[in-house]
Amino acid sequence: MKQPGGRAVLKALLVVVGVVLSVILVASAFFTWNPGGPGPLLVPRFSWGRFLRELPSHLAWFIPFLLLSAAMLPLRAIQWQTTLSKRVPLLERYHLVAIGAFTHNALPGKLGDFIRCFLLSRTQRIPFVQALGSVAVCKLLEFVALMVLVFVSFLGPFGDTMASFAGPLRIALGVCVGLMALVVVLAHYALPMARWLDRKHRLPRASNLLAHVSEGLGTARSFRGMARALVFSVGPVLAPALAYGLALHGLGVKGGLFAGAVVLGAIALGQAIPGVPAGMGIYYFVTSWAARSLGASDEDAAAFAALTHLGTAFSQVSLGALSVRLRGIRIRDLRKGGSLARDAANHVAHESVSPHHSPA
């Protein structure tokens, strides 16, 4: 009884820390902190009256942003097939991607990708780890496509200003190369390792897991397969990069169309760790900081952060909620992320698939 109680206290503490941190980070888009100095602790960056009056003027870029953000869902559904080991109907893939987007944006924990893999394993009889591996390859190739777009953006008319992002970009590039190497190694050697363990009659669960990992990462064993998947990974990255670029252009940022990929990269790096309890705060901090760094005024940077967050959440939550409704899934079931994780882990651990089975 003590352990569950201790976990409950820890979860409650993490929630409190996450809320406090989110409030601080969101406030940074609208206020500057003045600790220990004369005057109030929070000093507004701009006039709130003028900020509210000018909000309707941002509709010119907000509506295209909304549409491009919504376009990410069908583009990811198309991309997903390139890393799956069997044919899955496009409509099925779309609904699962949309439900994952709904879970990611509307429920705590950032478990959207996990949920779509879990549902795929249940509806299409694809082992959970295989589904998870296919999504991992998709995410990795999206990251590669994003890095390519960022490098291209440095060649645009705003390259000198964006040079301030060069340091984090080098780190991101190193992470990208390391992840690519890890995926390729696992794709080539996970199955031989599983077969070796099976012959030695050792660690049967690990053997099963490695066999499924090998099948999930099957695309990474072929240069042609990886190249094809990379081509289809450009769309899910280009759409939001163009959306952020149009938003910056609408704010009057010089060369803003080229800077959208840089902002998207900053967001991706800031929110890279699943389960971080301050995701919204990180988003506001990163987007407002990036917009100010690129030359936007404090007012426009705050509007950029608030409206892009609203546009992303509204487009993906509304479309995801429609898919949840059409598929007859209850919201309370999606909230059981921890329980689903344990069920999926047990399902994989006890599966009877032989590691001698050759992946498709």
Side-chain angles (χ1 to χ4, degrees):
M1 296 298 293
K2 291 182 179 180
Q3 288 185 347
R7 286 196 296 267
V9 171
L10 180 59
K11 288 182 180 179
L13 181 60
L14 288 175
V15 169
V16 172
V17 171
V19 170
V20 172
L21 185 58
S22 287
V23 169
I24 293 173
L25 292 174
V26 170
S28 69
F30 305 93
F31 300 90
T32 57
W33 292 90
N34 184 33
L41 177 63
L42 293 175
V43 179
R45 291 183 179 274
F46 43 77
S47 166
W48 279 93
R50 182 179 175 183
F51 174 78
L52 295 175
R53 286 194 303 270
E54 292 186 354
L55 274 180
S57 67
H58 297 296
L59 285 175
W61 62 260
F62 178 71
I63 294 176
F65 182 93
L66 203 65
L67 297 174
L68 286 167
S69 180
M72 290 174 59
L73 301 185
L75 289 171
R76 276 186 170 153
I78 293 171
Q79 172 212 27
W80 198 6
Q81 184 60 68
T82 63
T83 63
L84 288 170
S85 59
K86 61 178 285 187
R87 178 65 58 179
V88 177
L90 176 60
L91 187 60
E92 175 73 7
R93 282 179 276 131
Y94 169 77
H95 281 313
L96 297 184
V97 170
I99 292 169
F102 173 83
T103 306
H104 180 88
N105 288 280
L107 301 177
K110 293 185 180 181
L111 295 171
D113 289 326
F114 169 83
I115 292 296
R116 68 157 147 154
C117 293
F118 186 83
L119 294 175
L120 182 73
S121 70
R122 288 292 186 256
T123 61
Q124 301 297 313
R125 298 184 180 276
I126 296 177
F128 171 74
V129 176
Q130 288 185 32
L132 196 61
S134 70
V135 171
V137 174
C138 285
K139 291 296 183 182
L140 176 61
L141 293 178
E142 282 187 23
F143 191 40
V144 173
L146 177 58
M147 291 298 101
V148 172
L149 288 178
V150 170
F151 275 108
V152 170
S153 70
F154 273 73
L155 304 177
F158 218 35
D160 292 339
T161 300
M162 288 190 290
S164 59
F165 296 90
L169 179 61
R170 292 191 189 96
I171 297 174
L173 182 61
V175 172
C176 180
V177 172
L179 289 174
M180 282 284 288
L182 177 62
V183 167
V184 170
V185 168
L186 283 175
H188 282 86
Y189 296 106
L191 187 58
M193 289 173 62
R195 289 171 173 169
W196 182 83
L197 289 173
D198 187 58
R199 287 196 302 269
K200 298 294 184 180
H201 303 289
R202 295 178 181 177
L203 303 174
R205 292 186 180 183
S207 176
N208 242 350
L209 179 62
L210 286 170
H212 290 314
V213 166
S214 175
E215 292 197 33
L217 302 179
T219 303
R221 286 194 293 274
S222 163
F223 176 80
R224 182 178 178 182
M226 285 284 278
R228 181 172 178 270
L230 179 59
V231 170
F232 282 92
S233 299
V234 173
V237 174
L238 184 59
L242 183 58
Y244 284 105
L246 285 172
L248 291 169
H249 179 74
L251 296 178
V253 173
K254 181 183 176 183
L257 283 173
F258 291 87
V262 175
V263 175
L264 184 61
I267 295 169
L269 291 174
Q271 297 187 324
I273 304 175
V276 174
M280 185 173 71
I282 293 173
Y283 182 91
Y284 272 77
F285 174 79
V286 169
T287 50
S288 60
W289 166 77
R292 289 194 300 269
S293 299
L294 293 168
S297 66
D298 287 346
E299 289 174 337
D300 285 344
F304 176 75
L307 292 177
T308 56
H309 177 258
L310 175 63
T312 301
F314 177 77
S315 61
Q316 300 197 13
V317 168
S318 58
L319 291 176
L322 180 60
S323 290
V324 169
R325 175 71 176 175
L326 291 174
R327 294 298 301 271
I329 298 175
R330 297 175 297 182
I331 302 298
R332 65 182 180 183
D333 292 333
L334 293 177
R335 295 180 63 183
K336 297 177 181 179
S339 298
L340 290 176
R342 289 190 292 271
D343 291 345
N346 290 332
H347 175 66
V348 170
H350 293 93
E351 275 181 328
S352 59
V353 177
S354 171
H356 293 286
H357 170 68
S358 297

